[in-house]
Amino acid sequence: MFTEVQTTRTYEKIIEQIKENIKNNKLKKGDRLPPERLMAEQMGISRLTVREALSYLLAIGLIENKAGNGNYIKSDLSSMLYEPMSMYILLEDIDFQEVLSLRKTLQTQCIAICTDNITVDNLNELETICDKMKICENYDKLIELDLAFHSYIVKGTNKKLVNIIYNSISELVMDYISHAWTIIYEDKDKLKKTINLHVDIFNAIKNKDKLGAIDAMQKHFEFIEKYIDPLLK
């Protein structure tokens, strides 16, 4: 029934202390950690053990090392989930369509929340993106604008966790998005339709039309699934 009790490794205790300091607001995003020597002295341990703990935190993306200036709690933690999710998807042999389906589900849910919560600044950003898409003739720029458009919809929810998860998923499907835009960009009708769908989404959000916004987003994905997906397989 019982097994041998394992003693917590020293470096794990260091990590717990760092987490506790974050929890108690003694450490915040962007803060510089004390030098390794000082951390070792304060905790009564070797610098090697401190370095082991910091190496782990660097690996998972919680801290970053600024050459010649020490270790800092990362200001932007949005990429923390990408590598673990990427490895999980590979190891569990998750179908790529399932990842796309999750992105679609998140976007559809996000737009409903976004319609209620979006700030004036985010709304203005969406309008600017739409205006730029209408006159843009550069393939790379169109991809950039498309990513920004959908990102601002997620930002418009004002939900931090949703943003982190969505950004990680978007990183996982970047190749797909790039290939999809290759097809769209080379067909004037598809390009015009795609841009108009984005404008329809924006107008629904601007008019606080939640059902209309959901419908516009669903039509956007239906267009991709019907006219773009088959050409990518």
Side-chain angles (χ1 to χ4, degrees):
M1 183 180 294
F2 298 101
T3 58
E4 182 180 347
V5 175
Q6 299 294 322
T7 303
T8 304
R9 287 170 288 189
T10 305
Y11 86 89
E12 291 177 341
K13 293 180 181 178
I14 299 170
I15 292 168
E16 285 302 317
Q17 285 200 41
I18 292 173
K19 286 166 66 176
E20 193 65 26
N21 280 318
I22 293 172
K23 184 178 178 181
N24 295 331
N25 291 318
K26 293 179 181 178
L27 280 174
K28 301 181 181 66
K29 290 191 297 183
D31 282 355
R32 185 178 186 271
L33 291 174
E36 289 180 8
R37 175 187 55 77
L38 184 57
M39 289 179 69
E41 288 177 2
Q42 290 177 344
M43 297 181 187
I45 55 177
S46 70
R47 289 182 65 175
L48 183 62
T49 305
V50 172
R51 198 168 296 134
E52 186 179 7
L54 295 176
S55 295
Y56 172 79
L57 295 173
L58 280 164
I60 66 171
L62 179 64
I63 66 173
E64 60 183 336
N65 180 266
K66 297 182 180 180
N69 201 23
N71 297 300
Y72 290 76
I73 305 293
K74 266 192 175 181
S75 296
D76 181 8
L77 301 172
S78 59
S79 62
M80 278 190 69
L81 289 180
Y82 171 69
E83 285 300 339
M85 284 183 66
S86 178
M87 293 303 297
Y88 179 81
I89 287 167
L90 289 172
L91 290 169
E92 293 293 334
D93 196 25
I94 293 173
D95 186 86
F96 183 68
Q97 291 299 319
E98 187 175 338
V99 181
L100 291 176
S101 178
L102 177 57
R103 183 171 180 263
K104 175 183 175 180
T105 301
L106 279 173
Q107 277 278 298
T108 305
Q109 293 297 317
C110 282
I111 200 164
I113 302 170
C114 171
T115 306
D116 289 333
N117 295 354
I118 193 166
T119 64
V120 173
D121 287 344
N122 272 7
L123 192 62
N124 289 338
E125 289 289 347
L126 282 177
E127 185 170 24
T128 299
I129 291 168
C130 286
D131 290 342
K132 288 180 178 179
M133 288 182 84
K134 291 174 187 176
I135 60 174
C136 185
E137 297 181 357
N138 180 276
Y139 164 75
D140 291 323
K141 187 64 178 177
L142 279 167
I143 294 176
E144 182 184 321
L145 290 169
D146 177 54
L147 291 170
F149 182 87
H150 290 281
S151 179
Y152 271 107
I153 287 174
V154 179
K155 286 179 183 176
T157 65
N158 293 316
K159 307 288 184 184
K160 291 181 181 179
L161 186 57
V162 172
N163 270 272
I164 292 172
I165 293 172
Y166 177 78
N167 288 336
S168 299
I169 292 170
S170 292
E171 287 288 331
L172 293 170
V173 299
M174 270 305 302
D175 284 344
Y176 170 87
I177 293 170
S178 179
H179 291 150
W181 268 101
T182 300
I183 294 168
I184 294 167
Y185 183 71
E186 292 175 352
D187 187 317
K188 289 184 179 179
D189 290 336
K190 286 185 174 65
L191 179 58
K192 183 179 180 180
K193 178 65 175 177
T194 300
I195 293 171
N196 287 340
L197 285 166
H198 284 78
V199 173
D200 290 343
I201 292 169
F202 164 73
N203 285 332
I205 296 172
K206 182 180 179 180
N207 294 327
K208 296 291 184 181
D209 180 3
K210 186 184 294 186
L211 293 178
I214 294 170
D215 182 62
M217 182 62 77
Q218 288 175 338
K219 285 179 179 176
H220 167 59
F221 280 107
E222 286 168 4
F223 173 78
I224 296 296
E225 290 166 357
K226 184 174 182 179
Y227 295 104
I228 309 301
D229 274 1
L231 300 177
L232 292 172
K233 296 174 181 176

